[in-house]
């Protein structure tokens, strides 16, 4: 797999993921431009997220049934058209509908992961997945800045129209650069309805998939709880800062762009198990560092910056290890495995956000940090059992 192709796929991942996040920065501009209350404008963000969840369930499994290049090109083209429709929407109802279509089709990153796992040599799979994850992280971090700056200068429609042009251009690029892959004949003949149920069946049948899902759900749950609580901590009496401070603190996570490819190389060299171990220990350490941020003041801000950076690096490194493990289980079912994995991770993150807000409101920041540590400790306790028994994974790789 050439570096040029990896770069193109990483950029595509970043653009696809960024489509989920840049509308978040446009809510005030949408409210003013379409003359609706801010809570009504926020429906655009909600519709995008709901559409993305539906796309994970309804479209991502098709990566095992349809040629990856064809599916990727069609999804990027549909995303571009949906973004164009959103940018031209005359009122909120058509904008919300177009946003749901954007979310539904902008699942390219979840198609690219299984595709790259099949194209990359086994000894380089972790490094490639780490690079793709860096692309997704860059898209997540830069999307809000892109949306906010362009929207302030040119109006709320401009980010949608620019994003549409980029998506359509990438559809053309991937049509000529991504190699053709042929799905297994048995998979190509299976009914679509059977594919929708397959991720759940794989979750029951594959212990290593359940293991990876548990780790990522726990760590992403802690990550989401941390950021939900951080917004309340920074804007509360301990710091008295504005919402901008949360956004600036999030930029610290940009360091993970450099760390995830290195984590992927470690997975290639040592297997996913040791990287998972270090990742879970890193989350425990991050919980302790973040707890010191509850004191307030400059020292507290330093602790929060260091803790969030450690938490980001640990979570992303663990994701590289988990994806490397699940993609080695069933080469003919990588897209369905990824659907099961990402759905579990998403559910864990949703639960973490919900718990983070409520625990902070009831018990304070220290209790949120305790929740992060508890989630990591539960995953670590599960992880240490295979190490003591030295149980191999089904693919023969080191656990």
């Amino acid at each position: 797999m050439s570096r040029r192709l990896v770069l193109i796929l990483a950029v595509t991942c970043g653009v696809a993921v960024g489509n989920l996040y840049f509308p978040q920065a446009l809510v005030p501009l949408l409210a003013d431009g379409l003359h609706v209350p801010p809570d009504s404008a926020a429906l655009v963000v909600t519709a995008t997220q709901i559409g993305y969840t539906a796309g994970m369930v309804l479209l991502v499994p098709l990566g095992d049934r349809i040629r990856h290049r064809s599916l990727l090109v069609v999804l990027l083209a549909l995303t571009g058209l949906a973004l164009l429709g959103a940018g031209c929407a005359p009122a909120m109802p058509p904008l919300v509908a177009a946003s749901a279509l954007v979310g539904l089709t902008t699942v390219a990153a979840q198609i690219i992961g299984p595709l790259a796992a099949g194209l990359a040599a086994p000894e380089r799979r972790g490094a490639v997945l780490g690079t793709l994850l860096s692309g997704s992280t860059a898209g997540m971090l830069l999307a809000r800045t892109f949306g906010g700056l362009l929207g302030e200068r040119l109006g709320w429609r401009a980010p949608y129209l620019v994003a549409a042009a980029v998506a359509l251009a990438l559809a053309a690029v991937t049509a000529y650069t991504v190699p053709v892959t042929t799905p297994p004949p048995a998979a190509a003949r299976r009914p679509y309805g059977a594919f929708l149920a397959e991720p759940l069946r794989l979750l029951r049948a594959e212990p290593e998939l359940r293991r990876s899902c548990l780790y990522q759900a726990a760590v992403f749950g802690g990550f989401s709880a941390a950021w939900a609580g951080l917004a309340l901590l920074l804007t509360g009496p301990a710091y008295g800062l504005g919402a901008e401070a949360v956004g600036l603190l999030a930029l610290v996570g940009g360091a993970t762009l450099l760390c995830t490819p290195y984590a992927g190389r470690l997975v290639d060299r040592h297997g996913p198990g040791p990287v998972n171990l270090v990742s879970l220990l890193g989350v425990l350490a991050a919980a302790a560092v973040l707890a010191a941020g509850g004191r307030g003041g400059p020292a507290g801000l330093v602790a929060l910056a260091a803790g969030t950076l450690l938490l980001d690096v640990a979570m992303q490194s663990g994701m590289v290890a988990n994806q490397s493990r699940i993609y080695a289980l069933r080469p003919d079912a990588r897209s369905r495995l990824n659907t099961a994995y990402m759905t579990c991770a998403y559910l864990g993150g949703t639960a973490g956000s919900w718990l983070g807000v409520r625990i902070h409101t009831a018990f304070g920041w220290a209790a949120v940090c305790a929740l992060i540590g508890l989630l990591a400790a539960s995953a670590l306790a599960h992880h240490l059992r295979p190490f003591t028994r030295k149980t191999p994974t089904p693919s023969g790789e080191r656990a």
Side-chain angles (χ1 to χ4, degrees), residues 23-197:
Q24 295 177 0
L26 300 178
V27 170
L29 300 176
L30 287 170
D32 291 339
L34 295 176
H35 310 292
V36 296
D39 56 340
S40 297
L43 289 174
V44 168
V45 177
T46 303
T48 306
Q49 295 291 343
I50 292 173
Y52 186 73
T53 304
M56 282 290 304
V57 174
L58 299 176
L59 299 180
V60 172
L62 292 177
D64 295 327
R65 189 170 184 260
I66 300 173
R67 290 179 177 177
H68 286 111
R69 186 174 74 178
S70 301
L71 182 59
L72 188 59
V73 170
V74 168
L75 287 176
L76 287 169
L78 291 175
T79 300
L81 294 175
L83 287 165
L84 184 62
C88 298
M92 275 301 297
L95 177 57
V96 170
S99 297
L101 289 176
V102 170
L104 178 71
T105 57
T106 193
V107 292
Q110 307 310 328
I111 302 297
I112 288 172
L115 164 66
L119 295 176
E123 65 274 11
R124 290 196 62 241
R125 185 175 294 149
V128 169
L129 292 175
T131 302
L132 297 180
L133 187 56
S134 290
S136 297
T137 304
M140 180 177 63
L141 292 174
L142 298 176
R144 297 184 185 92
T145 303
F146 156 78
L149 292 179
L150 199 61
E152 285 286 352
R153 285 162 175 72
L154 300 176
W156 68 266
R157 298 181 189 275
Y160 282 103
L161 298 178
V162 171
V166 172
L168 292 173
L170 282 173
V173 169
T174 53
Y176 286 98
T177 56
V178 174
V180 175
T181 56
T182 303
R189 290 193 299 266
R190 296 195 67 184
Y192 173 64
F195 268 77
L196 298 186

Side-chain angles (χ1 to χ4, degrees), residues 354-382:
W354 187 85
L355 286 171
V357 170
R358 279 148 186 81
I359 288 177
H360 187 277
T361 301
F363 305 106
W365 175 245
V368 175
C369 297
L371 172 65
I372 298 168
L374 179 63
L375 290 170
S378 64
L380 182 61
H382 185 276

